Amino acid sequence: MFVAPQRGGKPDDQALASRFGDVSSGPHNWCPFCAGNERRTPADVGRVPADASLPWRARIVPNTYPITTGQPVAEAGGEDREAGGRHEVVIESPRHHGSILAIEADAWRDVWSLCRERLAIIADEDRHAWATIFKNSGRKAGSSLEHVHSQLVAVDIVPPVIRGELAALANDTAVFPRLIAAARAGGRIVSERGGLVALVPPAPRQPYETWIVSEQPDPHLHAAAAEQGAALADLTRDFVGRLERLAPGSHFNWWLHQAPFAWSAADARTSAGWHWHLEILPRLSEFAGFELGTGCHITTVSAEDSAQRLRDAAG
Ligand SMILES: [Zn+2]
Ligand SMILES: [Zn+2]
């Protein structure tokens, strides 16, 4: 559990609008992520283009309301300790867009290459156990700010979900190839590009849940070939377009699952078959008592139908 009381002060769009202007005034008056308001965020730790004399198209800044600063992490059966790491915001456009679909395809590829560069720097810092990039798009997905952005977190623990995936890999070194093969055999492939496969998992938690999986074993996104970074940009944009056609205005989350950075000798053996992947979870219905209490999910659209509808919704 992360205890982060400073995040209680995190403003939303309404609060920012009333502090810096009024709600009816344009977002450039109050949105901290809009071009011209850079003074309302910490200085950037990465930007596109790198030349600071040119206008930025995407930038990464430390999160003003981080989950990783100086607050205890309670681990099951363990001692409370400080949560070290990094928590940063990727501002994906200088303009106040609410959807990544408003970002040109080339500019969206630049966003992902900036993220890969930043992940490489964080990996080289050699003091984090694991890092991810995640996106909350829309209020149902937990977003408090409309302006397109995602978040980058590096932590000094390997989170339970990743430990679970490592345990699955320890039991079956071919778990990822089997996942892809089963999706091919079961008609659950949505699209493929540049060595990446977009597939609907066998037990989706929501209609249209889709994972983008590296076809070859590959632990980390930042170290993957440049074409894979571009393919990931294209596949995420393509997916959001399909989702928008199927369920307009849908909110969604995505998160990157990489292998841990620092492996023990034992972990290195079991992580050898890791394939980095991005899990995309549309938020079409709420998670309720049954889901939260059992970990079982009820979805109104089968995995096969989800994949078929997503294929039919090609742009
Ligand atoms: Zn904005
Ligand atoms: Zn995963």
Side-chain angles (χ1 to χ4, degrees), residues 243-299:
L243 181 63
E244 186 62 27
R245 285 184 281 277
L246 286 168
S250 292
H251 300 172
F252 63 87
N253 300 99
W254 72 47
W255 52 82
L256 174 67
H257 273 174
Q258 311 196 93
F261 289 133
W263 299 338
S264 67
D267 280 347
R269 279 196 300 279
T270 55
S271 301
W274 190 278
H275 296 220
W276 66 261
H277 53 280
L278 188 85
E279 302 185 7
I280 313 176
L281 186 67
R283 302 298 296 268
L284 303 185
S285 56
E286 301 291 340
F287 294 123
F290 181 74
E291 287 88 346
L292 297 172
T294 64
C296 300
H297 293 272
I298 306 163
T299 178

Side-chain angles (χ1 to χ4, degrees), residues 5 14 33 54 69 111 152 160 195 219 222 232 239 249 300:
Q14 288 283 331
F33 297 165
L54 297 169
T69 302
V111 169
L152 194 159
H222 70 264
L232 180 60
F239 174 84
T300 52

Side-chain angles (χ1 to χ4, degrees), residues 83-261:
R86 290 192 174 275
H87 187 183
E88 299 172 345
V89 181
V90 185
I91 305 169
E92 297 165 335
S93 169
R95 301 174 63 89
H96 196 79
H97 298 309
S99 166
I100 64 153
L101 294 175
I103 302 174
E104 295 293 329
D106 282 354
W108 182 240
R109 286 181 172 200
D110 286 347
V111 169
W112 278 103
S113 58
L114 177 65
C115 291
R116 278 158 42 86
E117 281 168 27
R118 187 67 192 147
L119 283 169
I121 290 168
I122 281 172
D124 281 348
E125 288 178 329
D126 234 10
R127 60 186 168 87
H128 310 291
W130 182 79
T132 186
I133 285 182
F134 65 94
K135 176 183 272 298
N136 303 332
S137 182
R139 285 200 171 266
K140 279 189 193 167
S143 177
S144 52
L145 299 174
E146 181 183 53
H147 190 128
V148 280
H149 68 286
S150 50
Q151 300 179 61
L152 194 159
V153 167
V155 285
D156 56 7
I157 57 157
V158 177
V161 171
I162 299 302
R163 288 205 298 264
E165 292 190 9
L166 283 170
L169 203 52
N171 283 333
D172 175 5
T173 53
V175 64
F176 288 103
R178 261 190 249 288
L179 173 80
I180 295 170
R184 286 196 205 290
R188 288 185 283 104
I189 303 286
V190 178
S191 54
E192 299 189 51
R193 181 187 284 248
L196 305 182
V197 181
L199 57 86
V200 176
R205 288 161 280 194
Q206 293 265 303
Y208 315 128
E209 176 171 358
T210 293
W211 298 353
I212 298 174
V213 186
S214 169
E215 228 179 334
Q216 297 300 319
D218 203 352
H220 301 120
L221 173 61
H222 70 264
E227 320 64 274
Q228 290 213 333
L232 180 60
D234 294 349
L235 284 173
T236 47
R237 206 166 177 283
D238 173 71
F239 174 84
V240 175
R242 290 174 199 256
L243 181 63
E244 186 62 27
R245 285 184 281 277
L246 286 168
S250 292
H251 300 172
F252 63 87
N253 300 99
W254 72 47
W255 52 82
L256 174 67
H257 273 174
Q258 311 196 93
F261 289 133

